Amino acid sequence: MFPRTRTARRSATLVGAATFALLAAGCGGGSAGGGGSASGQDATLVAYTGQAGDYQINFNPFSPTKIGGLGTIYEPLFFSNKAQVSDMVPLLGTEQSWNEDGTVLSVTLREGVTWSDGEPFTADDVVFTFDLLKKTPSINNIGYHGKATAVDDTHVTFTFDKPAFVKGPDVLSNTPIVPEHLWQDVNPVEDVVEEPVGTGAYMLGEFKPQAFTYTANPDYWGGEPAVKDVRYLALSGNQAGADAIAAGTIDWQTGPIPDIQNTHQNFPAYDAYTQWQNQAVLATCSDAELGCEGPQTDPAVRKALYYAMDREQLNKLAFMDTGNEVSPTFALTPSQDDFVSDDVSEAVAPMQADPAKAAQILEDAGWAKGGDGIYAKDGEKLSLTVEVVTGWTDYITAIDTMASQAKEAGIQLQAAQSSWNEWTEKKGSGRYELVIDSLWQGPAPDPFYLYTYFFDSGSGAKVGETSGNNFARYDNPVVDDALAELAALPLDDAAARQPHFDAIQTEIVRDMPYIPILTGGTTSVWKTAKFTGWPSDDDLYAFPAVWSAYDAAEILKKLQPAG
């Protein structure tokens, strides 16, 4: 639930020797303390992604309600490691290069690849996929506006009207390729895909609402993986995941368990690994002109909530001290400190609450405190509802803690729990006031990607329509213009790029459509007694979170059943 990246210290830390186990049920895992090696036919890895409640089948890789398939079934051209700066790993693509002015990206494709239905993979599939993005704005979360051309079956070019160096990582490693011969008549926004066909190392096996299984693709171009089956369970939430770790019935989980710092001592068959990456936020439906309703459409309310938070208390009570500082600019601290504008007075969010400052911000904006201690304006009480998934105990605790803190500043908060599917629908359609969620990093260690994902008006939408990643529906032409300028500059031209980062940060720190909470420490627990080859400080080949789909796919290919 609490995604996170790392900073200038180490890019990740090993907690004890522990490992989070992922999903339970019929996996022959043994007890947490007893080991339970996987050998012979018992090569099923059981994983828990945090899914609370039953699965609803959908393997449409472009749908906001997809339950899986990225990386495992549908591959991108290359894999980009979110855990550390490294070269991209060839997948469907083998070579890539830009022309001198950054307007043409040339990609060589892997020969001999077939779709899981036996049809050949060609450059036409790549062109079809990117044309699909271009003509369907709501799925075009990477902001792709190029022209893809098949030179021949194994070569593709992407041509842009102006320099587009920054688009490279997203085009190459953040777009799942789909088969043209099956997707010609698919509506990528609305259609549910029940029988996915991809080029990946896994195919969909059995599906039930309580669990679904991937089976190894015997014809995978990279060789059939050693982990023959991967079973994803739907449990009732974090507590059920922690109980499954204690029982030894799941092999990989990314989420909280009690006494997380001593996982290995408590459960010797497991190791735990923590890394800081994504940034937890209270996301707001921010733009009244796009149909958002509620007090949170006032930037003063958003800024008051920002100062009402006691982040030290939140870290302790909700996140077991696994969180880290967060910048209101959303440049990662401290690894991306060089990107923070000199015009931003607070490079990091205050760790202690300042209810007096929060109250002053509200009063300056015309809010008046009522007899019950809660502010109101024009007959509207400053009462807000935060949407959260049932069973996400860390986030639920965070909301309860923030509610107490906000009350000190004259703001009323309350949680509304719902299933993951309902929560996702509310977020995507804009029918909410606040949502607790996380903003994730892009394919390169650069804040441009987070800005273009979550602040570009092109991936927003009117309330009632499905948005892209900009589910806050933030619409600011200054930010849009700065992003357009950044997209034309090489990633290594710091002097030319910084003025545009300055412009973006000035706007988003003032408007705060996403209210920063903390940078989350993502801790995964996995069963080393059953599988070997998990990421480590010595070989951090992928970001080790089960819900980070492309990274998880690489991990599944790397693992070996223990002897």
Side-chain angles (χ1 to χ4, degrees), residues 215-484:
T215 61
N217 181 355
D219 300 318
Y220 181 54
W221 59 261
E224 184 177 357
V227 178
K228 301 305 179 187
D229 295 287
V230 182
R231 185 172 176 80
Y232 287 90
L233 300 185
L235 302 178
S236 60
N238 290 350
Q239 185 58 54
D243 291 344
I245 295 292
T249 52
I250 61 175
D251 305 317
W252 186 11
Q253 168 181 299
T254 304
I257 64 171
D259 195 21
I260 203 168
Q261 305 296 339
N262 296 302
T263 302
H264 185 62
Q265 289 86 334
N266 296 332
F267 311 113
Y270 292 93
D271 283 333
Y273 197 88
T274 298
Q275 191 186 35
W276 285 259
Q277 186 168 77
N278 293 357
Q279 296 164 92
V281 298
L282 283 180
T284 74
C285 191
S286 64
D287 194 333
E289 293 186 4
L290 291 177
C292 295
E293 298 180 353
Q296 82 290 342
T297 58
D298 183 347
V301 170
R302 306 197 289 258
K303 188 61 73 75
L305 275 170
Y306 171 77
Y307 284 109
M309 291 184 200
D310 184 329
R311 291 174 175 81
E312 285 189 356
Q313 186 182 53
L314 280 167
N315 200 10
K316 182 178 182 62
L317 296 182
F319 305 118
M320 293 182 285
D321 286 325
T322 61
N324 199 3
E325 290 179 330
V326 65
S327 172
T329 69
F330 292 109
L332 272 178
T333 300
S335 61
Q336 295 177 13
D337 282 355
D338 288 347
F339 292 100
V340 177
S341 171
D342 291 338
D343 297 331
V344 174
S345 59
E346 291 178 345
V348 297
M351 294 300 290
Q352 285 80 38
D354 191 343
K357 187 168 186 176
Q360 188 63 55
I361 290 171
L362 291 172
E363 291 172 10
D364 288 346
W367 293 85
K369 185 174 287 188
D372 59 357
I374 304 300
Y375 280 93
K377 182 179 181 181
D378 299 330
E380 180 180 32
K381 189 173 181 178
L382 188 39
S383 177
L384 294 160
T385 298
V386 186
E387 305 292 339
V388 65
V389 175
T390 301
W392 284 6
T393 54
D394 52 349
Y395 276 175
I396 293 168
T397 301
I399 296 170
D400 290 343
T401 304
M402 282 188 281
S404 177
Q405 296 169 355
K407 188 175 182 180
E408 294 295 316
I411 304 169
Q412 186 175 75
L413 286 184
Q414 58 188 358
Q417 299 184 37
S418 59
S419 70
W420 183 85
N421 289 310
E422 184 179 356
W423 176 84
T424 300
E425 192 282 328
K426 289 179 180 178
K427 186 173 72 166
S429 67
R431 295 187 174 95
Y432 71 92
E433 293 177 335
L434 301 173
V435 166
I436 188 167
D437 200 5
S438 293
L439 309 187
W440 59 84
Q441 299 299 307
D446 190 295
F448 168 82
Y449 298 99
L450 183 145
Y451 295 152
T452 197
Y453 294 163
F454 296 103
F455 294 91
D456 186 339
S457 66
S459 68
K462 293 181 179 179
V463 170
E465 299 177 3
T466 302
S467 72
N469 286 328
N470 181 7
F471 58 93
R473 287 158 166 79
Y474 184 58
D475 188 351
N476 186 322
V478 174
V479 172
D480 289 344
D481 290 346
L483 287 172

